[in-house]
Amino acid sequence: MGLVQLTGSDKVRPWLDAEAVTWLGMSGGPAGADALSPTGDVLTVSVRARHERTGSEARVGRMVVTMGAVRPVHLDGARGLARVLGGTTLEAFAGVPVQRGFDYREVGFATGGRIGQAFGDTTIVGASYLRRTTDGALSDEELGADLALTPAPWLTAQARGAFDVIGRGPSDVLVSASVQRTDLRVELFTTHRSPGRLLPATSLFSVLGDFAATSSGSTVRYRMFPRLEVLGQGTVQVRGDDVGGQGTGRVTLALDDDFAGTIGIEVRRVVLGDARWTGARALAAVPMSPRLRVATEVELVRPDDPKGRGELWPWVLFAVGYRPSPGWDVGLGVETSSGPEYRARTAALARLSYAFAGGEARR
């Protein structure tokens, strides 16, 4: 399978742009058949009109809508954002949620919005709402609130929470406060969300440690030297009746003053319920020339209970990007791993893109 992404605008109408992302591929026939048939689906396709001076905009088409603290929605519909005088922001959306495999009995409708208010340069508050029906019956309903504070240049705080009205419980919560000096940043946080969202979905660190839990802890980030940064994080996690935690340490070295190339080492220990493992990760992103860039990540996980799958589970990712000429961009990534689900697994992704020189179009 492959992914095709198109975005574009022009100099005559800079306030108007469009984007589309679709995947195409070949799928096998019934069991025992050798024939392959083409398949594919449109992930997003939309047109946006934007008012440059105020930042207000309207988008129509298929899109993923994220608004405040409520959950993202993939829908065919419309979204609008208006910035008015006094620091007020109004957002709203409405449409039909996208289905995989159409069934008229499951056709639904989703609506929602957010109102936000800025108070000077120090405070932003917002309230959001999401309502979704399926076949005329209420299936999802969420209320959300978000807050961002910057009372001083060295102090920031944020909070976000979403309440599931149907389930009568929190679905996503984040509260954090951080203090930052020239080379030191200390953050305290409490969160109820997935700790592996920033890792690749196939990463062993994500697969083995990506569970819904309430976490409280601290992160300390220290720039020891102009190009050397040290990070340490410790959390206490609660999942049902299980109480555990995890600790992470990472060292990152920049290869140049612009941080265009970096290398790093990370170690992690996780203990919560059946998830008990120790892992190490090495990563590097190096520009070999103005046109060529390579990157790699290597993970090794040692589970407390390997369950007959070997003492060490590896995960390796290698990627290369190349720009043969202005406008063209070529990328290739290959990953392979062994773990609790597969003794051996390999996947590859290639990307080719072109930016038109005559206008404002992008890849």
Side-chain angles (χ1 to χ4, degrees), residues 6-357:
L6 300 173
T7 64
S9 63
D10 63 65
K11 294 181 179 180
V12 178
R13 291 174 291 273
W15 49 269
L16 186 67
D17 59 50
E19 68 174 21
V21 178
T22 183
W23 70 268
L24 304 169
M26 303 292 291
S27 63
D34 296 328
L36 293 176
S37 58
T39 184
D41 199 1
V42 176
L43 304 181
T44 64
V45 55
S46 64
V47 177
R48 182 185 69 161
R50 188 171 189 271
H51 191 265
E52 295 292 336
R53 185 174 61 84
T54 64
S56 301
E57 64 178 50
R59 184 182 293 275
V60 179
R62 174 167 291 188
M63 69 197 81
V64 178
V65 177
T66 58
M67 203 162 288
V70 296
R71 70 185 64 182
V73 182
H74 192 197
L75 83 163
D76 295 323
R79 173 185 182 272
L81 182 150
R83 302 183 189 276
V84 298
L85 297 177
T88 302
T89 300
L90 301 175
E91 300 176 78
F93 69 90
V96 177
V98 176
Q99 296 185 53
R100 297 297 172 221
F102 182 79
D103 187 340
Y104 74 93
R105 294 168 297 180
E106 297 181 359
V107 173
F109 193 75
T111 58
R114 176 183 179 272
I115 179 171
Q117 179 65 49
F119 298 93
D121 297 328
T122 63
T123 307
I124 300 176
V125 296
S128 48
Y129 176 72
L130 164 67
R131 188 177 191 273
R132 178 172 174 173
T133 60
T134 302
D135 194 23
L138 184 64
S139 56
D140 291 306
E141 189 173 20
E142 276 190 351
L143 293 171
D146 56 272
L147 169 68
L149 297 173
T150 310
W154 52 270
L155 176 63
T156 60
Q158 61 174 319
R160 182 185 69 243
F163 183 81
D164 188 339
V165 177
I166 298 177
R168 298 187 179 276
S171 55
D172 182 75
V173 178
L174 169 67
V175 179
S176 70
S178 61
V179 176
Q180 182 171 341
R181 292 299 186 181
T182 304
D183 297 318
L184 179 66
R185 178 184 175 90
V186 180
E187 179 183 11
L188 301 175
F189 62 86
T190 295
T191 177
H192 180 79
R193 60 190 305 209
S194 169
R197 288 187 178 183
L198 300 182
L199 292 172
T202 53
S203 160
L204 287 176
F205 281 20
S206 177
V207 172
L208 299 177
D210 189 8
F211 35 74
T214 300
S215 304
S216 297
S218 177
T219 300
V220 178
R221 190 186 303 266
Y222 177 54
R223 179 164 293 181
M224 188 175 296
F225 299 103
R227 295 186 183 180
L228 183 65
E229 183 179 82
V230 179
L231 179 143
Q233 183 182 83
T235 61
V236 175
Q237 296 178 309
V238 179
R239 183 182 61 178
D241 296 332
D242 294 330
V243 179
Q246 66 173 290
T248 303
R250 183 168 69 236
V251 178
T252 304
L253 175 66
L255 303 179
D256 53 74
D257 293 336
D258 297 328
F259 284 74
T262 59
I263 58 176
I265 298 176
E266 177 182 325
V267 294
R268 184 178 300 196
R269 173 63 179 169
V270 174
V271 178
L272 180 60
D274 295 332
R276 297 173 180 267
W277 52 273
T278 303
R281 182 163 70 117
L283 59 156
V286 182
M288 307 301 293
S289 70
R291 295 185 178 183
L292 179 65
R293 180 181 180 86
V294 297
T296 185
E297 294 186 30
V298 179
E299 296 177 3
L300 281 177
V301 167
R302 186 181 186 278
D304 292 7
D305 181 10
K307 299 180 180 179
R309 287 298 183 95
E311 297 295 326
L312 291 176
W313 295 342
W315 179 86
V316 180
L317 169 68
F318 177 79
V320 58
Y322 179 61
R323 293 184 176 180
S325 62
W328 286 100
D329 198 349
V330 182
L332 173 66
V334 180
E335 68 171 11
T336 184
S337 64
S338 175
E341 298 184 19
Y342 304 97
R343 293 189 181 276
R345 179 182 182 273
T346 301
L349 174 67
R351 180 186 180 190
L352 175 66
S353 61
Y354 179 71
F356 295 93

